[in-house]
Amino acid sequence: MKITFDFEKPLEEIMQQIEKVQQVEEKNKLDMSATIAELEAKLETAKKEIYSNLTGWQKVQISRHPERPYTLQYIELMCEDFIELHGDRTVGDDKAIVGGFGTINGQTAMFIGHQKGRNTKERQYRNFGMANPEGYRKALRLMKMAEKFNKPVITLIDTPGAFPGLEAEERGQGEAIARNLLEMAVLKVPVICVVIGEGASGGALGIGIGDRVLMLDNSWYSVISPENCSTILFKTWEQKERAAEMLKLTSTEMYKNKLIDGVIKEPLGGAHQDPIAMAAILKKQLLKDLKILGERNIDELVAERIEKFCSMGVVLADTE
């Protein structure tokens, strides 16, 4: 088990105890199986206790775990084959967003998602998962291609936000995201969006309009990150835990507020603990939704998609 965060320290202590007992057992040729079993049971209990009571900030931390699966890893684990497509046909190929046709259980779909890197070089290459306008225009080009060939669209969202640089604004960052919102709302194929890690602001929304919008259990979705929210409201990053609670950004809160359509459970401790199992869970959910959406009339599906997003944030005044 990979230990990273402060709130996981009690688990690390128990694991160290197990390791010491195993060393004593091996060195002295003693039977310590009962002690080991007792400690392992204690470890499982502690894991369930910790991971079932995570705060908003703790879930944000897990969503950013450096070994958490990213888009291309999910595609590799879920698809029989995948052909990546490049470029927006105007400026260039944004490496922060990947996309292409993939086959999942014999069914072809267009996969589009944010991609981060594992090391410094990869992170720079992928621009830390922060897309430029050409990334969103590439995504739109691929969605339109999927519509042309009547193939469903699956998007995997994991970004700290759209790239905020001057050059991105000069090339129309706001327009590119707004155009995607408009076009995705009326796309005449089923669209499934899944937040697999970070879902920050317009950077996430740019590929986040769908018939089914789902979140992994330890992901987050919000107009702003807890750190930036804390900086604006409290003039310091130190209140980020408080800001995370105020933002109601967890999958549980998002579902409770009817802003998403469902929550996908992760392996105990987070997706990074067992990427293969996580991919299998996600694949099962995608196949289920693809079947349901594939049987629907597309005009009704589009109308429901528009109504779903238009009804968000609507407050009905008391007429009495």
Side-chain angles (χ1 to χ4, degrees), residues 9 11-21 23:
K9 286 294 189 286
L11 304 179
E12 187 174 26
E13 291 171 5
I14 299 172
M15 290 170 68
Q16 287 174 350
Q17 290 175 23
I18 293 172
E19 192 176 329
K20 286 177 182 176
V21 172
Q23 289 173 352

Side-chain angles (χ1 to χ4, degrees), residues 14-78:
I14 299 172
M15 290 170 68
Q16 287 174 350
Q17 290 175 23
I18 293 172
E19 192 176 329
K20 286 177 182 176
V21 172
Q22 288 173 334
Q23 289 173 352
V24 170
E25 181 182 49
E26 186 177 344
K27 184 178 180 180
N28 299 313
K29 307 299 180 186
L30 299 172
D31 182 9
M32 306 288 286
S33 56
T35 306
I36 292 171
E38 184 181 335
L39 286 170
E40 286 177 342
K42 185 180 177 182
L43 178 62
E44 284 303 309
T45 302
K47 284 163 68 174
K48 289 174 183 176
E49 175 67 24
I50 288 171
Y51 293 124
S52 61
N53 295 287
L54 293 172
T55 65
W57 174 246
Q58 287 168 346
K59 288 197 172 189
V60 170
Q61 288 179 287
I62 291 178
S63 77
R64 295 170 175 170
H65 195 286
E67 294 180 20
R68 192 173 175 85
Y70 298 145
T71 294
L72 287 176
Q73 187 173 0
Y74 278 119
I75 290 173
E76 182 183 352
L77 291 170
M78 293 191 299

